[in-house]
PDB file of all heavy atoms in Angstrom:
ATOM      1  N   GLU W  42      24.085  15.052 -21.474  1.00 92.00           N
ATOM      2  CA  GLU W  42      23.808  13.635 -21.667  1.00 92.00           C
ATOM      3  C   GLU W  42      22.671  13.191 -20.750  1.00 92.00           C
ATOM      4  O   GLU W  42      22.316  13.884 -19.789  1.00 92.00           O
ATOM      5  CB  GLU W  42      25.050  12.812 -21.358  1.00 92.00           C
ATOM      6  CG  GLU W  42      26.217  13.072 -22.309  1.00 92.00           C
ATOM      7  CD  GLU W  42      27.410  12.181 -21.984  1.00 92.00           C
ATOM      8  OE1 GLU W  42      27.380  11.512 -20.925  1.00 92.00           O
ATOM      9  OE2 GLU W  42      28.357  12.154 -22.790  1.00 92.00           O
ATOM     10  N   LEU W  43      22.129  12.027 -21.043  1.00 92.00           N
ATOM     11  CA  LEU W  43      21.148  11.414 -20.154  1.00 92.00           C
ATOM     12  C   LEU W  43      21.817  11.059 -18.833  1.00 92.00           C
ATOM     13  O   LEU W  43      23.034  10.856 -18.780  1.00 92.00           O
ATOM     14  CB  LEU W  43      20.576  10.154 -20.783  1.00 92.00           C
ATOM     15  CG  LEU W  43      19.600  10.342 -21.957  1.00 92.00           C
ATOM     16  CD1 LEU W  43      19.335   9.003 -22.629  1.00 92.00           C
ATOM     17  CD2 LEU W  43      18.293  10.959 -21.484  1.00 92.00           C
ATOM     18  N   PRO W  44      21.050  10.981 -17.747  1.00 94.00           N
ATOM     19  CA  PRO W  44      21.637  10.528 -16.479  1.00 94.00           C
ATOM     20  C   PRO W  44      22.127   9.097 -16.599  1.00 94.00           C
ATOM     21  O   PRO W  44      21.697   8.341 -17.485  1.00 94.00           O
ATOM     22  CB  PRO W  44      20.474  10.651 -15.491  1.00 94.00           C
ATOM     23  CG  PRO W  44      19.245  10.575 -16.343  1.00 94.00           C
ATOM     24  CD  PRO W  44      19.606  11.232 -17.637  1.00 94.00           C
ATOM     25  N   LYS W  45      23.011   8.713 -15.706  1.00 93.00           N
ATOM     26  CA  LYS W  45      23.574   7.359 -15.716  1.00 93.00           C
ATOM     27  C   LYS W  45      23.335   6.691 -14.361  1.00 93.00           C
ATOM     28  O   LYS W  45      24.240   6.590 -13.538  1.00 93.00           O
ATOM     29  CB  LYS W  45      25.068   7.393 -16.047  1.00 93.00           C
ATOM     30  CG  LYS W  45      25.376   7.883 -17.457  1.00 93.00           C
ATOM     31  CD  LYS W  45      26.873   7.908 -17.715  1.00 93.00           C
ATOM     32  CE  LYS W  45      27.179   8.218 -19.183  1.00 93.00           C
ATOM     33  NZ  LYS W  45      26.632   9.505 -19.625  1.00 93.00           N
ATOM     34  N   PRO W  46      22.099   6.258 -14.110  1.00 93.00           N
ATOM     35  CA  PRO W  46      21.830   5.578 -12.838  1.00 93.00           C
ATOM     36  C   PRO W  46      22.640   4.304 -12.705  1.00 93.00           C
ATOM     37  O   PRO W  46      22.922   3.613 -13.694  1.00 93.00           O
ATOM     38  CB  PRO W  46      20.324   5.289 -12.891  1.00 93.00           C
ATOM     39  CG  PRO W  46      19.983   5.346 -14.342  1.00 93.00           C
ATOM     40  CD  PRO W  46      20.917   6.318 -14.968  1.00 93.00           C
ATOM     41  N   GLU W  47      23.007   3.985 -11.473  1.00 87.00           N
ATOM     42  CA  GLU W  47      23.863   2.837 -11.177  1.00 87.00           C
ATOM     43  C   GLU W  47      23.262   1.538 -11.719  1.00 87.00           C
ATOM     44  O   GLU W  47      22.120   1.176 -11.425  1.00 87.00           O
ATOM     45  CB  GLU W  47      24.045   2.711  -9.658  1.00 87.00           C
ATOM     46  CG  GLU W  47      25.006   1.641  -9.208  1.00 87.00           C
ATOM     47  CD  GLU W  47      26.464   2.051  -9.392  1.00 87.00           C
ATOM     48  OE1 GLU W  47      26.711   3.256  -9.561  1.00 87.00           O
ATOM     49  OE2 GLU W  47      27.324   1.163  -9.364  1.00 87.00           O
ATOM     50  N   LYS W  48      24.047   0.839 -12.562  1.00 88.00           N
ATOM     51  CA  LYS W  48      23.710  -0.500 -13.050  1.00 88.00           C
ATOM     52  C   LYS W  48      22.386  -0.572 -13.815  1.00 88.00           C
ATOM     53  O   LYS W  48      21.769  -1.631 -13.907  1.00 88.00           O
ATOM     54  CB  LYS W  48      23.664  -1.498 -11.884  1.00 88.00           C
ATOM     55  CG  LYS W  48      24.978  -1.632 -11.140  1.00 88.00           C
ATOM     56  CD  LYS W  48      24.870  -2.626 -10.003  1.00 88.00           C
ATOM     57  CE  LYS W  48      26.190  -2.740  -9.234  1.00 88.00           C
ATOM     58  NZ  LYS W  48      26.103  -3.695  -8.095  1.00 88.00           N
ATOM     59  N   THR W  49      21.943   0.554 -14.392  1.00 91.00           N
ATOM     60  CA  THR W  49      20.713   0.576 -15.175  1.00 91.00           C
ATOM     61  C   THR W  49      20.966   1.340 -16.464  1.00 91.00           C
ATOM     62  O   THR W  49      21.285   2.526 -16.424  1.00 91.00           O
ATOM     63  CB  THR W  49      19.565   1.244 -14.391  1.00 91.00           C
ATOM     64  OG1 THR W  49      19.372   0.551 -13.153  1.00 91.00           O
ATOM     65  CG2 THR W  49      18.267   1.190 -15.176  1.00 91.00           C
ATOM     66  N   LYS W  50      20.823   0.667 -17.599  1.00 90.00           N
ATOM     67  CA  LYS W  50      21.118   1.284 -18.889  1.00 90.00           C
ATOM     68  C   LYS W  50      19.846   1.880 -19.493  1.00 90.00           C
ATOM     69  O   LYS W  50      19.134   1.240 -20.252  1.00 90.00           O
ATOM     70  CB  LYS W  50      21.729   0.252 -19.841  1.00 90.00           C
ATOM     71  CG  LYS W  50      23.078  -0.276 -19.380  1.00 90.00           C
ATOM     72  CD  LYS W  50      23.661  -1.269 -20.379  1.00 90.00           C
ATOM     73  CE  LYS W  50      25.024  -1.754 -19.932  1.00 90.00           C
ATOM     74  NZ  LYS W  50      25.628  -2.717 -20.891  1.00 90.00           N
TER      75      LYS W  50
END
Side-chain angles (χ1 to χ4, degrees):
E42 295 182 351
L43 287 169
K45 295 179 172 59
E47 185 77 17
K48 300 180 181 179
T49 303
K50 296 182 178 180

